[in-house]
C-alpha cells in the first residue's frame, strides 16, 4: 500500500471514539505493565528474605491449591453436566439451574460458614453430641487449613466448569452421541470414550476460569491460613510495608498465569472439534429408571445441598440472631459505600466497554483483536496484582504531581492525594471487571447487523448520531446486562477493596471479612446474606444472558 | 461522465488475492446500470467502495465531477450523497416507516421534511403504512420502504445490492416492475447489482459482466422489457 493511502487511513480512523478507546486500553494495561517492569527494578532486603525463605512455600501453596481445586471442581462439574445433559431423571430441569446457584456464594463467606458449622461448637457436632451422644474424634470433620480451602473452593467454583460443559454437551454433541449409540456404546463408555474427549476444549475453558479464581482468591486462603502468592502479596504489603517486594511477588504471579495460558494453548492445540459441528441440535436424553434414576437424583441433591442450601440456611439462622445488633447506622453507610463504588465503577466500565466494542466492530482487524484481548485481560489477572499495579502507578503519579498540589488544592507539600482517594479503588475495579461489561456489549454488537450503521452513514449521519439513534436503542439490553454484571462483581469483590480502599472506607464485603477474621461469625451473617442475594441476582442475569 | 472509476483495487486482507484489481468503468448521468457476476466476483464490494463503506487499496473514484477517493482524498460515506438499498434492506427495527424515511432528512426544515415524506410515501404507495414498524410489513413492502428511505435525501446516485434476493419468485416479477417505475419517476442514476440476469434485464439500460472484477467484461445494450 502506498504511504499516502496509509496516511489517509490513519487520518480517517483517528476520530474521537478511537482516541478515547485507546486511552481506556492504556489505563487498563498500564498497571499490569508496571508490575511486569518491577522485574527490572532493584528490590530491598525484604525481597531477598522472601526469596530465600518464603517464595518456595508460597508457590507450593498456590500450586497445590490450583492443582487440587482445578482437578476436583473439573471432575464434579463435568460429571454433573453429563448427568444433566445426557439423562432424564426426576427434577432434572430444576437441577439444571440449581446446580449453578452455588456460584452466588462468595467462597470467603462459605469458608467461615463451613468452618464454624463443622467446629466443636458448630451445628453438626452439637447435633450428634446432643441427640446421639456421639463425639467426633477431633480433626475428623473440621474444615480447616489446606484441606478446608480445597473443599470450599471446589464446592463453590465447580459451577464454572459445569456451565460450560453443560452448554457444550447439550448443544454440540448430539450428532456424535447419536452415532455412538448406533455403534453400541453403553452409558459409561459413552462418557469416557466420547463425552470427555470431545468436550475437552470446553472442559479446559471451564477449568481455566476456576484456576484464575483460585489464583485470585485471598479470602479463603487467608482464612484457612494457606500460604499462596496472593496472600503473600497482602502480607508483604501490610506486614512489611514493602511495595517493591509485593510488586515482585505480583510479577511472579503473572508469570505463573502466563505459563497457565501457554499450557492451555498447548492442551487445546488441534482439539477444536466443536468448530466442525455446524448444526446445533439438542441432545435427546435417555430416561433413567429404578436405582440409576435415584443415583442421578441423589448425586445432584448432595452437591446442591452442600454447595448452597445448607450454608444458606445456616446463614439465615445466624442472621436472625444478630440482625438487630448489626443493623445500625453504620450498616447503612456500608450499603451506601458498596452501592456508590459499584455504581461509579460500573458506569465507567460501561462507558469504555461501549467505546471499545464499537471501535472493534467498526474497524475489525488484528489490532482490534489485540484491543479486545487487552480489554478483557483483567479477568485473568488476580485482584491483588491489579491492586499492586494500580497503587504503584498512583503513588508515582502523586510523586510527579506533588509540586502542583499545594497550589491547586491548598494541601501541604508531600501530601498523597490520588493514592489516598477513592479514584484508586475505582480504577482497580474498572481494570479487573472490564471484561464483564465488554463481553456483554460485544456480544450484543454481533446481533446488530453492520448494515444498520452503514445505512445511517449513507443517509448522511455521523458516528455519534448513528450510535445514539441506531445502535444504542438496539444495544440497550446488552449494555444493561454488562452494567449489572460489573456492578454485582464490584459489590462482592474482596481483595481489591481491601488493598485499595481509602482509610475508613468499608464495604459490605470488607466488613463481612473483618467480622469473620475477628471470629464474630454470627455478626458476619446479615451482610453475607445480602451479598449472596445480590449474587443470586447476578447469576440470574448470567443465565438470561446465556439464553439470549 | 457522472461516475468515473479508474484503476480501482481492493483486498480484504494482505494474505488474500485482490477482490477487485485495477478496475475501471464509467456511468453517464441518468443511466441505470446493472452489474452481473457470480458470488464472490466482487460486485457487492464495488458498490461498497463507491458508497464509502470500504477503503480501496488503490485507484480513484469521481462522482458528479467531484473526486471522492484518491491517493490523498477520502470523502466519508456520510458526505458522499450516495443512496443505497441493502440486500437485507437494513430498515431500523425500532423506527416506524415514516421515521425510517425521515432519518436522512436532517438538513430539511420541518415543513419541507413532511412534504418530502409524503412524496416518498406516495412514490412507493405506502401512505397507509407510515406508522407501521418494519416487522409489520411484507418483504415487498419493506423493500419499497428501503427504496423510499434511500431516495428521500435526493442522492446523486442510487446503489442497489441484490435487492430482490430476499423475495420469493412470484413476488419478484411484480416488484421488478414497481422498482423500474419508481426509478424512472425518480429520474436517478442507479447502479444495480444482481446475480440474476432477469433482474438486470428488467430494470437496467446497460449491463456489465464482471468476473473477479479484474476487467470490464462484455457490455451489451439494454434489453427493453
Amino acid at each position: 500500500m502506498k504511504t499516502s493511502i496509509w496516511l489517509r487511513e490513519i487520518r480517517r480512523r483517528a476520530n474521537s471514539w478511537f482516541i478515547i478507546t485507546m486511552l481506556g486500553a492504556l489505563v487498563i494495561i498500564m498497571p499490569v505493565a508496571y508490575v511486569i517492569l518491577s522485574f527490572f527494578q532493584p528490590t530491598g532486603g525484604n525481597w531477598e528474605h522472601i526469596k530465600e525463605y518464603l517464595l518456595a512455600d508460597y508457590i507450593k501453596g498456590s500450586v497445590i491449591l490450583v492443582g487440587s481445586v482445578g482437578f476436583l471442581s473439573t471432575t464434579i462439574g463435568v460429571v454433573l453436566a453429563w448427568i444433566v445433559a445426557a439423562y432424564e431423571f426426576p427434577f432434572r430441569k430444576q437441577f439444571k439451574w440449581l446446580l449453578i446457584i452455588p456460584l452466588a456464594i462468595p467462597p470467603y463467606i462459605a469458608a467461615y460458614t463451613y468452618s464454624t458449622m463443622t467446629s466443636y461448637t458448630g451445628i453438626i457436632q452439637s447435633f450428634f453430641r446432643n441427640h446421639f451422644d456421639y463425639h467426633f474424634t477431633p480433626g475428623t470433620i473440621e474444615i480447616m487449613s489446606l484441606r478446608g480451602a480445597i473443599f470450599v473452593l471446589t464446592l463453590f467454583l465447580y459451577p464454572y466448569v459445569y456451565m460450560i460443559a453443560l452448554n457444550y454437551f447439550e448443544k454440540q454433541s448430539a450428532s456424535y452421541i447419536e452415532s455412538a449409540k448406533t455403534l453400541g456404546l453403553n452409558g459409561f463408555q459413552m462418557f469416557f470414550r466420547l463425552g470427555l474427549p470431545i468436550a475437552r476444549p470446553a472442559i479446559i475453558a471451564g477449568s481455566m476460569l476456576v484456576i484464575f479464581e483460585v489464583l485470585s482468591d485471598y479470602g479463603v486462603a487467608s482464612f484457612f491460613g494457606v500460604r499462596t502468592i496472593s496472600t503473600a502479596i497482602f502480607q508483604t504489603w501490610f506486614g512489611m510495608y514493602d511495595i517493591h517486594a509485593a510488586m515482585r511477588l505480583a510479577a511472579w504471579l503473572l508469570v505463573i498465569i502466563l505459563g497457565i495460558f501457554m499450557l492451555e494453548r498447548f492442551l487445546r492445540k488441534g482439539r477444536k472439534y466443536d468448530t466442525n459441528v455446524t448444526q446445533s441440535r439438542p441432545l435427546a436424553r435417555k430416561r433413567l429408571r429404578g436405582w440409576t434414576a435415584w443415583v442421578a437424583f441423589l448425586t445432584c441433591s448432595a452437591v446442591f445441598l452442600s454447595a448452597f442450601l445448607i450454608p444458606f440456611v445456616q446463614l439465615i439462622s445466624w442472621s436472625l440472631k444478630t440482625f438487630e445488633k448489626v443493623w445500625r447506622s453504620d450498616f447503612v453507610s456500608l450499603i451506601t459505600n458498596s452501592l456508590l463504588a459499584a455504581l461509579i465503577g460500573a458506569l465507567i466500565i460501561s462507558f469504555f466497554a461501549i467505546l471499545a466494542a464499537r471501535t472493534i466492530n467498526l474497524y475489525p482487524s488484528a489490532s482490534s483483536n489485540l484491543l479486545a484481548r487487552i480489554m478483557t485481560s483483567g479477568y485473568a489477572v488476580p485482584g491483588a496484582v491489579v491492586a499492586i499495579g494500580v497503587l504503584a502507578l498512583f503513588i508515582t503519579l502523586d510523586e510527579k504531581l506533588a509540586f502542583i498540589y499545594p497550589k491547586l488544592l491548598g494541601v501541604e507539600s508531600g501530601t498523597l492525594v490520588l493514592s489516598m482517594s477513592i479514584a484508586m479503588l475505582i480504577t482497580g475495579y474498572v481494570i479487573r471487571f472490564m471484561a464483564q461489561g465488554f463481553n456483554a456489549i460485544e456480544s450484543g454488537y454481533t446481533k446488530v447487523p453492520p448494515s444498520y450503521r452503514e445505512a445511517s452513514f449513507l443517509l448522511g449521519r455521523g458516528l455519534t448520531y448513528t450510535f445514539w439513534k441506531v445502535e444504542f436503542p438496539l444495544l440497550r439490553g446488552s449494555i444493561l446486562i454488562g452494567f449489572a454484571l460489573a456492578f454485582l462483581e464490584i459489590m462482592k469483590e474482596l481483595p481489591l477493596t481491601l488493598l485499595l480502599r481509602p482509610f475508613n472506607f468499608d464495604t459490605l464485603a470488607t466488613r463481612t471479612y473483618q467480622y469473620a477474621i475477628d471470629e464474630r461469625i454470627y455478626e458476619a451473617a446479615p451482610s453475607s446474606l445480602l451479598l449472596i442475594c445480590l449474587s443470586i441476582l447476578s447469576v440470574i442475569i448470567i443465565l438470561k444472558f446465556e439464553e439470549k | 461522465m457522472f461516475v468515473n472509476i479508474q484503476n480501482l483495487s481492493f483486498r480484504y486482507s494482505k494474505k488474500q488475492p485482490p477482490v477487485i484489481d485495477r478496475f475501471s468503468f464509467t456511468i453517464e448521468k441518468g443511466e441505470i446500470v446493472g452489474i452481473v457476476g457470480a458470488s464472490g466476483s466482487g460486485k457487492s464490494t464495488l458498490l461498497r467502495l463507491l458508497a464509502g463503506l470500504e477503503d480501496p487499496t488503490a485507484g480513484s473514484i469521481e462522482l458528479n465531477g467531484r473526486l471522492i477517493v484518491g491517493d490523498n482524498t477520502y470523502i466519508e460515506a456520510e458526505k458522499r450523497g450516495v443512496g443505497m438499498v441493502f440486500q437485507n434492506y437494513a430498515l431500523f427495527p425500532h423506527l416506524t416507516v415514516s421515521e425510517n424515511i425521515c432519518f436522512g432528512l436532517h438538513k430539511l426544515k420541518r415543513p419541507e421534511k413532511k412534504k418530502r415524506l409524503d412524496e416518498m410515501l406516495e412514490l412507493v404507495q405506502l401512505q397507509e403504512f407510515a406508522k407501521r414498524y418494519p416487522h409489520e410489513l411484507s418483504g415487498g413492502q419493506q423493500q419499497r420502504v428501503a427504496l423510499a428511505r434511500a431516495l428521500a435525501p435526493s442522492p446523486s446516485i442510487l446503489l442497489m445490492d441484490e435487492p430482490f434476493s430476499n423475495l420469493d419468485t412470484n413476488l419478484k416479477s411484480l416488484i421488478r416492475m414497481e422498482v423500474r417505475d419508481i426509478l424512472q419517476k425518480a429520474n436517478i442514476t442507479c447502479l444495480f447489482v444482481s446475480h440474476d440476469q432477469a433482474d438486470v434485464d428488467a430494470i437496467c439500460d446497460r449491463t456489465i459482466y464482471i468476473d473477479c472484477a479484474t476487467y470490464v467484461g462484455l457490455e451489451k445494450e439494454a434489453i427493453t422489457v
Side-chain angles (χ1 to χ4, degrees), chain A residues 9 104 116 127 187 258 267 274 276 289 305 307 419 496:
Chain A
E9 287 310 296
T116 311
F127 178 81
L258 207 66
L267 288 174
D274 48 349
N276 297 335
R289 294 177 203 286
L305 283 176
S419 49
L496 252 177

Side-chain angles (χ1 to χ4, degrees), chain A residues 327-396:
Chain A
W327 181 260
R328 37 175 212 240
S329 61
D330 173 44
F331 198 77
V332 178
S333 83
L334 287 184
I335 297 177
T336 322
N337 282 351
S338 295
L339 287 176
L340 198 69
L343 188 74
I344 298 171
L347 276 175
I348 297 174
I349 286 173
S350 303
F351 176 74
F352 280 109
I354 289 170
L355 285 173
R358 191 171 197 236
T359 303
I360 288 161
N361 199 262
L362 264 174
Y363 312 115
S365 65
S367 49
S368 305
N369 280 339
L370 182 69
L371 178 68
R373 288 270 164 107
I374 291 173
M375 282 302 201
T376 51
S377 60
Y379 87 97
V381 182
V385 178
V386 172
I388 203 98
V390 171
L391 182 83
L393 195 67
F394 271 66
I395 289 177
T396 311

Side-chain angles (χ1 to χ4, degrees), chain A residues 2 9 12 454 457 469, chain B residues 48 55 70-71 78 94 103:
Chain A
K2 275 193 210 168
E9 287 310 296
R12 277 196 59 214
E454 292 169 354
F457 291 159
K469 293 291 173 183
Chain B
R48 293 177 63 80
D55 316 339
D71 279 1
E78 60 265 33
H94 57 295
F103 194 89

Side-chain angles (χ1 to χ4, degrees), chain A residues 53-75:
Chain A
Y53 301 106
L54 304 169
L55 187 62
D57 269 358
Y58 296 150
I59 293 178
K60 194 173 140 200
S62 288
V63 169
I64 292 176
L65 208 56
V66 163
S68 316
V69 176
F71 173 75
L72 291 172
S73 55
T74 303
T75 308

